[in-house]
Amino acid sequence: MATIGRRTGAVGTALVLALTIGGSALAGIGIDRSSDEQALAPTRAPASATIEQKVDKLLSQMTTQEKLQQVQLLSDGQITDADAKAGVGSVFSLVDPEQINHFQHIAVEQSRLHIPILFAYDTIHGYRTIFPVPLGAASSFDPEVAQADAAVGARESATEGLKQVYSPMVDVSHEPRWGRIVEGAGEDPYLGSVMAAARVKGAQGTDYSAPDKVVSSVKHYVAYGEPEGGRDYNTTDMSESRLRNFYLPPFKAAIDAGADTVMCSFNAINGVPGCANKYTETDILKKEWRFDGFVESDYTAVAELRACPPVEPDSGPCGHGVAADGPEAGAAALMAGTDSEMVSTNIRDYGQQLLADHQITMSRLDDAVRRILRVKFRAGLFDHPYVDVTTASDPASYGRPEDLAKSRWAASRSMVLLKNDGQPLPLDPSKSTALIGPLGATVDEMLGPWSGRGTDPLAPKFVTLFDGLKAASSAPVTYTAACNLAHNFDPPNNANPPITPDEEVCAGPGDDGTTIQDAVTAADNADQVVLALGESAFMSGEANSRSQLDLPGHQEELLDAVAATGKPVVVVLFNGHPLDLTAVQDKAAAILEAWFPGTEGGNAVADVLYGKVDPGGKLPVSMPRGVGTVPYYYNHEPTGRPCDATFKWNSRYRDQSTCQPLYPFGYGLSYTSFDVSNLKLSRSSVGRNGTVTVTMDVKNTGERAGDDVVQMYIHDPVASISQPVRRLRGFQRVSLESGESTTVTFTLDKSDFGFYDNRGKFVVEPGTIEVYGGDSSAAAMERSFTVTR
């Protein structure tokens, strides 16, 4: 897993783009199939001598105060004309193109050195054309989904004058309670690395000075996804080997793909906050990986380095206690490697004093400014600082037909079929359908959290599930909400008191005045029944961790009542957390995990439900059996007493009859069937610098075309440090006609069978390596080879 910036196995086969969806062909939308070898291939360009000369010349002309202004990153609510004239470095969340031009004109024309401002935004899974949430996109096991998302989001963001996006979020997480798990690629570092690289390449292209490209900021550096108790912002503690083997690889892949900015995290790791961590920011990122871009802090993360006073703080955020006050916080962040301070202003305000007191050095300040200027030159801001307001205000600039087709394609490709007992799916479009549940006709639950500007007037029309089903069916489709979806918006003072599940989702009559009894009547009167269940979009994302993972509110009561009619119930889930679906599994005939699918989500779900698209996605996270079993993840260490539910003295839960999750990582069904067989290795032994070729055959043994994801895992059974029971090291999504077969090929090298030890050293040890093949992390085929000295 060491040098992630390379290859290992194809991740995709040729997609038949002429697939007709809802009467509109996808041919020509520009999706270019790729492999994980291509996705992980390093594309970082060498430094430009011309740009370096420009940076050095400009830096030599700057006063100390001008340098301190460059390292300041302000919000849209903070920026003033005076800041722009003084030479402030960056601004985020300002999205009015006229205001962007206003401040940019002041910076370029009225500041002494005419340095443009870098404008940024949280374009996470779309700007106005919204794609599936990143956890959903990871379910596609297809980097082209992530790349298409990032490319469309970059173009729409750049059209409005934004030149940096705070994306991708590449935090690996084993914590389904953590709200921000929805923003990443799940629990696996290899899948996360492939998706991270794809998103950077989609957003930046080969040259992010292009008018439709932006510079990516990779976040949150590092190990933010493993907070204690799953609570956002909470502390993280882990070994060196775990840090390097699980959490750093996706960041390395993003850097190798060309990402030029990185956001340090809120959390402390082993007691050291991310934005004051010299080891991670300077020693690893800048020195070991030779990253020459800049690091910005997260929102007020520098101020949060301070200790809180005994009484209620009156001077802003605080908490970590590694600095006594603002000056110490600014010094700690800058000297650790943070180059740009977001919202709080400790480096800018106290910089002169800190220099005089030798708490920071001019060489380090110069390094920070040099990195910021380098990115601005690479972004082409000095040549093209202004936004075309006419184009930015034109509705035709957003939601273009080809982009909506990509969004729909990405959403349908990201869905995971978890159950289909008796094959109630696909639905028959000639039969009447009752759509029931609080998520059947809502907007935000299609778009999900961090949905950019997907609901403003310039955004394309979003499609609810009710809209999609009606458009796809030739028979009547009825909708019964049955209960109300109540969003928990923050009150004005941000007090946000604790809420009960009943207050959040499915309480009281629905928005249409209907009740659970009305839902039962609707189910009785229809040929087919679909329940749209899950979470409010505001139950996941930042600051939205959950202590329970079941369906909130009265949704299980609704499921019970509808299932009691005897009709096979198809449950469609819209959610951002991996949920405990034990109760749903017992009562639903079919379960389709749709996550939050985006602008075209309703159409995409209908495409899958009615069988126009085969559900070929796989789970990027394990689905737990009860919240008490988390964190569970497939790539865990074996322990001295591996779990055996039939024997007491093992690592098990007394009240669980199995050691397995409800649905494992890599799991997903199809409307057809597949046989993965004939696992072969090219050799039985290999030197530490050699390679092994792995092949498997996959055949569509069913009666219709469909997709499967062939997956390769390895295990090192004897090592100096206990190794995970399995590690994903290659995958390929294949599309096959009925009866069709193909052979997939992967390549293993030392970056796969080696690992980092607790000294931070990458080691390749002699011994046996087991290779597993199949179409989930429970793959049963096994072969082995020996690594020799």
Side-chain angles (χ1 to χ4, degrees), residues 647-727:
F647 184 64
K648 179 176 181 179
W649 307 106
N650 277 302
S651 180
R652 52 162 290 198
Y653 293 104
R654 185 179 180 87
D655 55 354
Q656 288 284 340
S657 61
T658 178
C659 298
Q660 302 304 314
L662 187 63
Y663 303 109
F665 175 90
Y667 171 85
L669 303 175
S670 169
Y671 291 155
T672 185
S673 58
F674 294 92
D675 178 52
V676 183
S677 63
N678 203 23
L679 173 64
K680 292 183 179 180
L681 308 182
S682 63
R683 58 180 63 188
S684 60
S685 64
V686 63
R688 56 174 289 124
N689 293 314
T691 62
V692 176
T693 301
V694 181
T695 59
M696 282 177 270
D697 297 334
V698 56
K699 181 177 182 179
N700 182 343
T701 57
E703 299 180 354
R704 56 179 292 157
D707 283 15
D708 198 17
V709 178
V710 181
Q711 302 163 44
M712 177 190 63
Y713 298 83
I714 68 168
H715 173 51
D716 185 346
V718 181
S720 57
I721 294 176
S722 183
Q723 293 297 297
V725 294
R726 292 193 180 184
R727 291 192 290 144

Side-chain angles (χ1 to χ4, degrees), residues 2-294:
T3 49
I4 283 289
R6 51 85 184 99
R7 26 96 276 106
T8 305
V11 183
T13 58
L15 175 68
V16 181
L17 292 179
L19 174 67
T20 298
I21 294 183
S24 171
L26 281 179
I29 65 174
I31 300 297
D32 179 22
R33 309 308 313 129
S34 73
S35 69
D36 63 356
E37 178 176 353
Q38 295 167 320
L40 286 175
T43 57
R44 190 162 195 85
S48 161
T50 301
I51 286 179
E52 294 306 299
Q53 290 170 2
K54 292 178 179 179
V55 169
D56 289 341
K57 180 179 179 180
L58 189 54
L59 185 64
S60 69
Q61 301 173 48
M62 297 178 73
T63 66
T64 297
Q65 193 56 40
E66 286 169 334
K67 294 174 183 178
L68 293 170
Q69 287 286 353
Q70 273 302 299
V71 302
Q72 185 61 58
L73 169 56
L74 297 176
S75 73
D76 57 329
Q78 289 178 292
I79 179 69
T80 66
D81 289 0
D83 290 312
K85 188 172 183 179
V88 73
S90 308
V91 174
F92 72 97
S93 291
L94 185 65
V95 292
D96 182 341
E98 292 186 352
Q99 281 293 299
I100 287 174
N101 270 352
H102 168 78
F103 289 117
Q104 197 71 286
H105 275 287
I106 294 174
V108 172
E109 298 165 15
Q110 298 181 35
S111 70
R112 191 177 73 87
L113 294 176
H114 317 296
I115 301 174
I117 298 170
L118 178 63
F119 289 94
Y121 191 75
D122 283 287
T123 301
I124 307 299
H125 55 107
Y127 186 68
R128 285 198 169 95
T129 302
I130 309 303
F131 278 67
V133 290
L135 190 61
S139 299
S140 72
F141 275 70
D142 183 355
E144 282 298 329
V145 168
Q147 188 163 337
D149 172 0
V152 174
R155 186 190 62 76
E156 292 189 346
S157 299
T159 297
E160 198 137 289
L162 303 162
K163 204 58 182 174
Q164 182 189 27
V165 294
Y166 297 148
S167 175
M169 195 203 86
V170 303
D171 296 300
V172 172
S173 183
H174 301 150
E175 252 304 345
R177 294 172 294 181
W178 186 49
R180 304 195 78 168
I181 195 170
V182 68
E183 299 172 40
E187 69 186 42
D188 183 74
Y190 185 81
L191 176 61
S193 296
V194 171
M195 292 299 176
R199 287 187 180 278
V200 171
K201 292 177 181 180
Q204 295 193 175
T206 57
D207 177 6
Y208 59 81
S209 69
D212 61 343
K213 297 299 178 184
V214 295
V215 60
S216 295
S217 180
V218 189
K219 63 186 188 183
H220 305 85
Y221 191 71
V222 59
Y224 183 51
E226 212 61 39
E228 290 185 358
R231 288 190 290 118
D232 208 356
Y233 318 118
N234 205 10
T235 192
T236 300
D237 194 276
M238 65 178 58
S239 66
E240 177 81 7
S241 63
R242 179 160 285 237
L243 174 68
R244 287 182 174 269
N245 291 320
F246 278 89
Y247 301 98
L248 284 173
F251 287 95
K252 180 62 164 56
I255 300 304
D256 285 345
D260 258 357
T261 60
V262 170
M263 182 182 292
C264 57
S265 60
F266 287 116
N267 66 297
I269 178 170
N270 301 340
V272 183
C275 295
N277 198 316
K278 182 177 182 295
Y279 180 60
T280 56
E281 290 189 294
T282 297
D283 295 348
I284 295 178
L285 178 63
K286 294 180 177 179
K287 292 182 178 179
E288 187 177 322
W289 295 353
R290 299 186 179 182
F291 173 71
D292 65 358
F294 73 81

